[in-house]
Amino acid sequence: QAPETASGSNVVSNERTRERFRFRLNGDALMQKGWGAGFALESANAADSGNQTFENGNDDYALYLARAYVSWQYSPELLLVGGKQKNPFYTTDLVWNGDINPQGLSEIYQHSFGGKDTLEIRASQILMDDLSENAAAGTARDRRDAWLFVQQAVYTHWFGSDSLGNQVDSLVLAPGFMTYNDSTLSGLANENPANLSTDSLAIMTFAGEVNWKTLLPGSSLKLYWDSAYNFEAGSRVRKVYGLTNPAIDDDPFAWLLGVAYSKGSGKVQGDYSLRADYRQVGLGSVDVNLNDSDFAFGKLNQEGVKFAAAYNVTDFASLNATYFYTTDMQQKLTHSLANLDHSQILQVDLVVKF
């Protein structure tokens, strides 16, 4: 990993090489009368990564509770979930890091149309930080728990037919909106934390994909996208980040466009997949406490590419490689959340499932 920052008078070049591992143990249980529960243990405590660096002379490593939730299928259409849970939203890593397990309440309502088409309404009330109501210092905002409210509609349309007449091609459209109450965050330990006010994050999102499985037998081709627009980016940049220079663009928009190809299901020896995307992350666009920590280390004001490949060396083990290259969109920003000149990250992973 080789980032270059513009945090001072001279550009500083930093190189970092790490040998890491990840252990994850999870389970989900279905019980009577629609009830369920689940848990996950993993090898690091940061919300946006389960990776643990090999270090400290063969010391042992701790395990952390990454998920602990209960669920209730109230009816065939309505599912209720409470606790630290899997991310219930359709998304890419532009807006949500894939390692984050939100904590709070979720409601998912599904309506089925004729055939296989569905419309889901998904909502979550996510507790981001618990603050002391009796703290003597600060304002009322500093004594109010921080909540993130997320809503999304997910429409899935099925089309095309395989040799058996089953519809296997799909179109997914997923608009959404997220915002916080008036509070502050502190003590967050993700890659690029914003331990700041939650003000001025009112973000409209729109993600989706078109997935073709009928083009080549045993293969799939997918075009996918994601986007985020912060309606209060100007206030976020000026008041929360403190960047008052009028020459700095608020840049409320983030977007991603990608293509993926896979041979097989990814569960059998010889299966493989390839994907590539290009994205831009504006200075005032997304919440850095949620977005991907690998693309430009989670920094704002970045654009670039991501390439990924995976190959199943056995039915239970895959070799993965991911490469990121990013550059800054507005040059020489010095705020800690956006002070990256450019970055190159190469990750090589061996994943064994049992």
Side-chain angles (χ1 to χ4, degrees), residues 86-354:
K86 299 175 184 177
N87 191 335
F89 298 103
Y90 175 88
T91 185
T92 71
D93 57 12
L94 178 76
V95 177
W96 282 96
N97 188 299
D99 287 321
I100 291 179
N101 296 293
Q103 52 201 15
L105 303 173
S106 295
E107 308 82 34
I108 302 175
Y109 176 82
Q110 178 176 291
H111 173 75
S112 297
F113 299 96
K116 297 171 62 177
D117 291 6
T118 58
L119 175 64
E120 291 183 308
I121 304 300
R122 308 179 185 183
S124 284
Q125 303 79 50
I126 300 168
L127 180 58
M128 291 292 290
D129 207 359
D130 183 86
L131 303 181
S132 173
E133 290 80 3
N134 300 315
T139 64
R141 165 190 295 164
D142 302 312
R143 296 187 290 272
R144 186 181 297 121
D145 294 346
W147 286 87
L148 172 64
F149 302 96
V150 188
Q151 298 77 224
Q152 186 183 57
V154 183
Y155 173 69
T156 304
H157 170 65
W158 294 88
F159 64 97
S161 298
D162 62 12
S163 59
L164 300 177
N166 298 316
Q167 290 182 314
V168 293
D169 298 337
S170 60
L171 166 69
V172 179
L173 303 174
F177 182 75
M178 63 173 63
T179 190
Y180 281 89
N181 67 330
D182 183 20
S183 183
T184 58
L185 298 170
S186 62
L188 277 66
N190 48 295
E191 179 76 35
N192 189 36
N195 290 300
L196 301 168
S197 165
T198 59
D199 279 0
S200 305
L201 285 169
I203 302 172
M204 182 72 71
T205 61
F206 180 59
E209 68 178 58
V210 184
N211 194 4
W212 294 276
K213 292 187 176 182
T214 56
L215 295 178
L216 294 171
S219 302
S220 67
L221 178 66
K222 178 166 67 176
L223 176 68
Y224 60 96
W225 64 88
D226 203 351
S227 60
Y229 186 92
N230 184 9
F231 292 102
E232 299 180 11
S235 177
R236 184 72 178 172
V237 170
R238 308 299 173 195
K239 296 181 179 180
V240 179
Y241 298 159
L243 300 175
T244 57
N245 186 338
I248 297 176
D249 190 345
D250 302 337
D251 206 352
F253 192 45
W255 64 273
L256 172 154
L257 182 63
V259 62
Y261 172 80
S262 62
K263 181 69 169 65
S265 62
K267 299 179 180 180
V268 178
Q269 182 178 4
D271 288 354
Y272 64 90
S273 64
L274 303 168
R275 68 170 53 222
D277 69 58
Y278 175 84
R279 68 186 77 180
Q280 292 186 346
V281 183
L283 178 62
S285 60
V286 298
D287 183 357
V288 295
N289 292 318
L290 302 178
N291 70 332
D292 184 22
S293 59
D294 292 324
F295 184 85
F297 302 92
K299 299 286 187 179
L300 301 168
N301 186 50
Q302 291 286 304
E303 62 181 334
V305 294
K306 172 183 177 180
F307 300 103
Y311 179 78
N312 278 71
V313 293
T314 71
D315 293 352
F316 55 84
S318 62
L319 184 63
N320 307 322
T322 309
Y323 174 75
F324 304 84
Y325 179 82
T326 76
T327 60
D328 53 352
M329 299 165 64
Q330 301 182 67
Q331 296 182 353
K332 298 183 179 179
L333 295 184
T334 59
H335 193 281
S336 62
L337 300 180
N339 61 347
L340 194 65
D341 179 356
H342 71 272
S343 70
Q344 296 186 69
I345 301 176
L346 175 64
Q347 299 173 333
V348 179
D349 305 302
L350 176 64
V351 179
V352 178
K353 297 182 179 180
F354 55 93

Side-chain angles (χ1 to χ4, degrees), residues 48-113:
D48 58 352
S49 177
N51 294 324
Q52 168 65 52
T53 301
F54 288 105
E55 58 184 352
N56 298 332
N58 302 314
D59 279 356
D60 294 334
Y61 302 102
L63 285 178
Y64 299 88
L65 191 61
R67 287 201 297 268
Y69 68 89
V70 295
S71 63
W72 182 33
Q73 191 76 49
Y74 173 78
S75 69
E77 297 83 15
L78 180 62
L79 174 65
L80 306 175
V81 185
K84 191 165 176 59
Q85 59 195 267
K86 299 175 184 177
N87 191 335
F89 298 103
Y90 175 88
T91 185
T92 71
D93 57 12
L94 178 76
V95 177
W96 282 96
N97 188 299
D99 287 321
I100 291 179
N101 296 293
Q103 52 201 15
L105 303 173
S106 295
E107 308 82 34
I108 302 175
Y109 176 82
Q110 178 176 291
H111 173 75
S112 297
F113 299 96

